[in-house]
Amino acid sequence: MPPATGFTSYVDTILAALAREPERLALTGPEGHADLTAGELHATVHRMAAVLDAHGIGRGHTVCLLSGNRPEVLAVRYAVNLLGARVVFLYDGMAAETLARVAGSVEPALLVADPDLHTTARDVLRQLPGPHPEVMTLGPAPAPALGADLLAACAALPATPDVTSRVRPEDDWCIRHTGGTTGIPKGVRMAHAPYGAMLAQMAPEPAAAPARFLACTSLAHLAGILSDLTLAGGGTVVLHRSFDPAAVLAAVERDRITDLWLLPPLLYRLLDDPTLPTTDLSSLARITYGGCPASPSRLLQAAEAFGPVLHGMYGMSEAMSISVALPEDHVPTGPAAGSPSAARCRAWRSPSGTRTAAICRRGSRARSTSAPPA
């Protein structure tokens, strides 16, 4: 059914892709969680949207999500956004006091909590300033109950409803919070129109084989965005609870993973893992890294170990993706290319193709110059 507003959001795109191949595997959950086919994920999103709609969630409302990596957290985000409401991620591992201040700043109508994080959820609610939101859990939580079980409410529906999108281009799909390195994290509003445009720009070529993306970092960060891209492109998302280098390398070989997202320190841990030399890496097509500075010598080592699959991403919460370093940009150039101290120049291309920036490093010094596209 076409969106009620006439605007096709990123959720509409993902749901359409799921509906085209309902039997294919869409999500592989971590240990203890069931896998979901595309059809099952499609139905779960619509069921969740119907339940949340009955609880009054809609345009203008904010829903806070506190969860680890589990299939249902993607489904509930899609359901919330389908209704035109926005999400705010409460990062697992952040202090409850900080999470309470983040939640209090957005005045949530609903908190959806992972039952495995029930202690953190109770601490957040206890410290939350102002009126408490309604609480629902992604499965049964230990007594005393935090709130209604969202999954049980979905299962109790007699049939899967067809919930039409209520999203408008200017609606926020989320409020993303900064890392808090200079104080309390600041909220950045992220609207549907530019987010959908960015995903469309990052979409794989039509002839490309569907991706198998391993989400081994938080779905509340870039792993969630790459999961959206994977599902919209007809691929499969494999979920790990957290990053473990040996488990990641084993999954790459066993599950024929094509795509990874890693912070540079996690990439280094893969390079240092003793199982790397004996792991079959032939399925890997892309390792995307970013989020903090990366060591040129370690990137050279990674390029040698993994092959021409490195993609360096640079962006900001406020501006989303700004530039990318392609695999060929990780090859040392110049007369002393084989020397670790040689200057290494990489062309950082903006996704829109509007500019390139040459990043040149020698030792710890760096400079950046901009130029029109070639």
Side-chain angles (χ1 to χ4, degrees):
M1 186 176 294
T5 60
F7 167 69
T8 300
S9 74
Y10 86 94
V11 179
D12 297 310
T13 301
I14 290 173
L15 290 175
L18 296 174
R20 280 194 293 270
E21 299 178 275
E23 300 304 318
R24 71 174 173 84
L25 183 62
L27 288 173
T28 295
E31 184 178 354
H33 293 272
D35 298 343
L36 291 178
T37 66
E40 289 168 338
L41 179 56
H42 186 278
T44 300
V45 172
H46 280 273
R47 284 177 172 264
M48 283 185 171
V51 171
L52 296 176
D53 184 33
H55 282 252
I57 299 301
R59 293 188 66 245
H61 291 120
T62 301
V63 176
C64 285
L65 302 180
L66 173 63
S67 177
N69 280 7
R70 51 189 296 162
E72 299 86 358
V73 75
L74 282 173
V76 74
R77 168 157 68 86
Y78 298 156
V80 169
N81 287 164
L82 188 67
L83 295 173
R86 67 180 68 87
V87 298
V88 170
F89 303 102
L90 301 182
Y91 293 92
D92 180 21
M94 192 174 281
E97 179 184 4
T98 302
L99 294 178
R101 294 184 67 174
V102 168
S105 70
V106 297
E107 300 179 350
L110 175 69
L111 168 64
V112 178
D114 185 333
D116 292 340
L117 301 176
H118 65 94
T119 299
T120 301
R122 295 182 203 281
D123 289 343
V124 170
L125 291 169
R126 187 174 62 250
Q127 300 180 61
L128 190 65
H132 284 192
E134 183 181 2
V135 181
M136 302 187 82
T137 57
L138 296 172
L146 278 166
D149 183 340
L150 176 58
L151 302 187
C154 291
L157 293 177
T160 299
D162 188 0
V163 181
T164 57
S165 175
R166 302 170 194 177
V167 179
R168 297 178 184 174
E170 68 274 15
D171 290 340
D172 300 326
W173 76 272
C174 88
I175 299 177
R176 177 85 65 186
H177 281 75
T178 60
T181 52
T182 58
I184 295 297
K186 286 82 174 172
V188 180
R189 296 176 61 181
M190 305 185 74
H192 272 276
Y195 183 62
M198 183 186 74
L199 290 183
Q201 192 175 68
M202 295 170 64
E205 296 295 330
R212 294 183 60 82
F213 171 59
L214 175 57
C216 55
T217 58
S218 175
L219 289 174
H221 197 249
L222 193 62
I225 293 175
L226 294 178
S227 295
D228 294 349
L229 188 65
T230 300
L231 293 172
T236 300
V237 177
V238 177
L239 297 176
H240 282 196
R241 293 181 187 275
S242 58
F243 177 83
D244 176 84
V248 167
L249 290 171
V252 168
E253 179 172 293
R254 179 186 63 247
D255 300 319
R256 307 305 294 162
I257 298 299
T258 63
D259 290 69
L260 281 173
W261 150 254
L262 298 169
L263 293 164
L266 303 185
L267 179 62
Y268 308 158
R269 289 178 63 187
L270 282 189
L271 291 172
D272 296 336
D273 193 86
T275 65
L276 176 64
T278 58
T279 300
D280 180 1
L281 304 172
S282 60
S283 63
L284 274 177
R286 178 187 296 259
I287 298 177
T288 306
Y289 69 89
C292 65
S295 161
S297 61
R298 292 293 257 169
L299 290 179
L300 177 59
Q301 183 183 357
E304 293 170 344
F306 296 106
V309 299
L310 295 180
H311 290 71
M313 295 291 292
Y314 173 72
M316 301 172 65
S317 295
E318 297 88 339
M320 296 187 289
S321 179
I322 295 173
S323 60
V324 60
L326 301 177
E328 59 266 30
D329 301 322
H330 292 78
V331 178
T333 60
S339 169
S341 62
R344 314 196 200 289
C345 296
R346 304 193 301 280
W348 289 79
R349 297 172 175 83
S350 70
S352 63
T354 56
R355 67 177 183 274
T356 62
I359 309 296
C360 302
R361 296 181 183 271
R362 183 183 295 275
S364 60
R365 300 173 63 186
R367 62 185 176 85
S368 172
T369 59
S370 295

